Amino acid sequence: MVLPVVEGLNKMTLTSAAVTDSNQLFALVDVNNFYVSCERVFAPKLEGVPMVVLSNNDGCAVARSAEVKALGVKMATPWFKMRELAKEHGIVAYSSNYTLYGDMSDRVVKVLRKFTPQLEVYSIDENFLRIESILKAYPDASTLGKTMRQEVKDATGLPVCVGIGASKTLAKLANHLAKKYPQFDGVCDVASMPKEELYQWMSETPAGEVWGIGRQLAKKLKILSINTVFDLLQVSPQTMRQQFGVVMERLCYELRGVSCLKLEEVAPAKQQIIASRSFGKLVTGLEELAEAVATHTARAAEKLRTQNSVTGALNIFIETNPHKQHEPQYAQSITIALENPSDNTLTLTDAAIEGLKQIYQSGFRYKKSGVILNLLSDKPTAQQSLFDDVQTRGKSADLMKALDSINSRFGNAVIRSGATGTKQEWQMRSGNRSPNYTTRWDELPVAR
């Protein structure tokens, strides 16, 4: 099949967003089946074994190995619906181990930063890198991609694929091709690919695979006879903007090699932080609820300090299980305003528990609790009360810095508020969680 040359690709003007340097080149490094791959690094016997990683409380599949995908198991399939299939095909199920996954993600980032500091952590398993400035050290971009792939594998044991393109959207498309088609051997550079070959690949790739086009939008595009990436490439970006907005226009330009989405050196600070989790068992007593709320607050406060923010208000909520219709139902929340914006775990915990006491009702079996930090502001510029004690504020900052430093070095929540309890029997179910191989001394892997 001979595809037509797309007209006017070099005669475009971008009306909706600033165009970045046309010489930019991006690489998207994506870990294959990340959660599954993390488990396999420390348990090589799982290689080739069909396996899934389950969500909180071992509910549904949040990660599937290639073998499980081949069996037709969809993302978020409940585990109880897979039991018969699991028996038939020997599917192994692991509880999610987010401590392990987070640490392995950090290790991948450290390897990639050795290549260039111009890196954006897009998600726990994906990183964008600007690579045009480092290409002179390599024969070509594909060689650089293969080097990245091998060094990540050597340092972490994790398999990655690398997509390279003149824009982030093209790099994402290239990564999709690198994963799906074995002939690319894990690295696809569409920036160096002849136009006719690129158009051929685009014509074989559904439009829904384009970064930012979800299932519903893909359906709308199909009504307009836009079925493939190549179909989308040929549509006027201005026309797409009129029908679908500025984001779609930018995606169209990005597919044409015009970089519109800048690489963010630092992700923007979140405007709201949520810490919430369902219980592993139904909870009735105030004491256990308080332990859970204190634990959520501590986790949220740590995230708050990470982005150098403070919060001016907390929202605390509790709820029963809405799926148990035969039981009495209750759900309530409350917002507690702080006199002074704070990031101090102890201060926030006191406020959260005070709020919990106001909304707690006995006689109900609670399934979930959570804490939402609102009214976030940048810590250096946060406005304090006239009567705020500067010396006390300094001691608070030193205490939190020491707390975070120790927990970072020796493991999550090694030091924590007594309000979080010790046994925490309400914690979510994780019947088959792997050890925290990389963050706990007592769970280090053993070589025999």
Side-chain angles (χ1 to χ4, degrees):
M1 174 182 176
V2 179
L3 297 172
V5 176
V6 179
E7 296 290 343
L9 293 190
N10 298 317
K11 301 177 182 179
M12 299 177 297
T13 58
L14 184 57
T15 60
S16 61
V19 180
T20 57
D21 183 357
S22 60
N23 295 320
Q24 286 184 355
L25 196 62
F26 296 87
L28 175 62
V29 182
D30 185 4
V31 183
N32 303 342
N33 300 322
F34 180 60
Y35 292 174
V36 169
S37 294
C38 287
E39 299 291 354
R40 285 175 168 174
V41 167
F42 300 98
K45 65 182 180 180
L46 295 173
E47 288 289 346
V49 175
M51 65 174 295
V52 296
V53 174
L54 302 176
S55 62
N56 294 344
N57 288 314
D58 295 343
C60 58
V62 292
R64 303 155 294 154
S65 68
E67 298 80 9
V68 171
K69 292 177 182 177
L71 295 174
V73 176
K74 302 298 183 184
M75 180 66 85
T77 299
W79 174 240
F80 74 88
K81 290 186 177 181
M82 298 169 51
R83 292 189 186 279
E84 292 302 318
L85 189 69
K87 290 180 181 179
E88 182 180 351
H89 295 279
I91 298 175
V92 176
Y94 270 59
S95 304
S96 50
N97 186 344
Y98 297 119
T99 301
L100 173 65
Y101 309 149
D103 185 70
M104 293 297 284
S105 176
D106 290 342
R107 290 167 187 257
V108 172
V109 171
K110 288 179 181 177
V111 174
L112 296 178
R113 285 200 190 280
K114 295 178 181 178
F115 291 92
T116 174
Q118 292 185 292
L119 178 149
E120 175 187 352
V121 179
Y122 178 64
S123 67
I124 194 170
D125 60 344
E126 294 178 285
N127 296 275
F128 282 106
L129 296 86
R130 282 276 302 277
I131 62 172
E132 70 276 2
S133 62
I134 59 173
L135 274 181
K136 59 185 178 182
Y138 301 88
D140 52 43
S142 291
T143 302
L144 171 59
K146 292 175 183 177
T147 304
M148 289 178 177
R149 191 167 185 253
Q150 190 61 50
E151 291 204 14
V152 171
K153 182 69 173 178
D154 291 343
T156 67
L158 295 171
V160 302
C161 283
V162 182
I164 299 169
S167 67
K168 292 168 79 171
T169 303
L170 283 174
K172 188 84 169 175
L173 174 64
N175 190 278
H176 167 75
L177 297 176
K179 279 188 171 184
K180 187 171 182 179
Y181 298 99
Q183 58 262 48
F184 290 111
D185 194 25
V187 178
C188 177
D189 176 15
V190 298
S192 303
M193 190 179 286
K195 282 287 176 60
E196 291 76 12
E197 183 181 351
L198 174 58
Y199 295 162
Q200 183 67 55
W201 285 113
M202 286 180 165
S203 72
E204 297 175 9
T205 305
E209 294 293 342
V210 173
W211 185 32
I213 296 182
R215 186 179 303 174
Q216 295 304 317
L217 185 52
K219 291 179 180 178
K220 294 178 181 179
L221 293 178
K222 197 166 186 177
I223 296 174
L224 300 175
S225 298
I226 301 174
N227 299 304
T228 69
V229 178
F230 188 71
D231 293 336
L232 186 58
L233 184 71
Q234 298 181 89
V235 181
S236 163
Q238 289 82 6
T239 300
M240 297 305 288
R241 181 187 185 185
Q242 292 171 1
Q243 296 194 52
F244 300 103
V246 66
V247 174
M248 176 61 82
E249 181 192 23
R250 292 178 182 178
L251 289 178
C252 289
Y253 277 117
E254 287 254 322
L255 284 176
R256 296 171 177 228
V258 180
S259 180
C260 313
L261 305 173
K262 295 182 180 181
L263 185 69
E264 299 294 337
E265 298 295 345
V266 180
K270 295 179 180 179
Q271 298 304 304
Q272 185 184 71
I273 294 177
I274 302 174
S276 174
R277 192 160 289 174
S278 297
F279 303 138
K281 64 166 190 171
L282 295 177
V283 172
T284 58
L286 176 60
E287 184 176 345
E288 280 192 296
L289 278 176
E291 288 183 1
V293 167
T295 301
H296 298 328
T297 303
R299 192 165 71 248
E302 184 178 346
K303 294 179 181 178
L304 189 68
R305 293 191 292 273
T306 299
Q307 68 176 43
N308 202 26
S309 298
V310 290
T311 181
L314 300 84
N315 180 272
I316 300 90
F317 66 88
I318 53 177
E319 58 186 52
T320 54
N321 190 341
H323 301 295
K324 293 185 177 293
Q325 296 293 337
H326 61 283
E327 292 191 3
Q329 297 294 311
Y330 178 75
Q332 189 58 269
S333 65
I334 188 172
T335 297
I336 302 295
L338 302 177
E339 182 177 345
N340 293 307
S342 177
D343 64 358
N344 185 296
T345 296
L346 302 180
T347 300
L348 300 182
T349 299
D350 287 344
I353 292 179
E354 180 59 35
L356 172 66
K357 290 178 179 177
Q358 294 183 43
I359 61 175
Y360 170 74
Q361 292 287 335
S362 62
F364 295 97
R365 303 209 302 165
Y366 294 96
K367 177 63 177 176
K368 188 176 184 179
S369 69
V371 175
I372 305 173
L373 304 185
N374 292 308
L375 300 181
L376 306 191
S377 56
D378 185 43
K379 185 174 182 178
T381 60
Q383 184 173 357
Q384 300 293 326
S385 165
L386 178 64
F387 303 102
D388 183 37
D389 188 332
V390 176
Q391 186 175 6
T392 301
R393 195 194 322 159
K395 291 181 179 179
S396 170
D398 290 342
L399 177 60
M400 292 301 105
K401 183 177 180 180
L403 175 70
D404 292 338
S405 176
I406 293 172
N407 284 337
S408 174
R409 182 177 179 184
F410 296 104
N412 185 40
V414 168
I415 295 181
R416 62 180 190 265
S417 164
T420 61
T422 53
K423 294 183 178 180
Q424 295 191 338
E425 295 179 350
W426 47 267
Q427 283 279 17
M428 68 177 185
R429 291 189 302 272
S430 53
N432 195 26
R433 181 185 67 79
S434 56
N436 289 317
Y437 297 107
T438 62
T439 57
R440 290 186 62 92
W441 288 108
D442 58 342
E443 296 184 16
L444 286 174
V446 177
R448 302 185 187 281

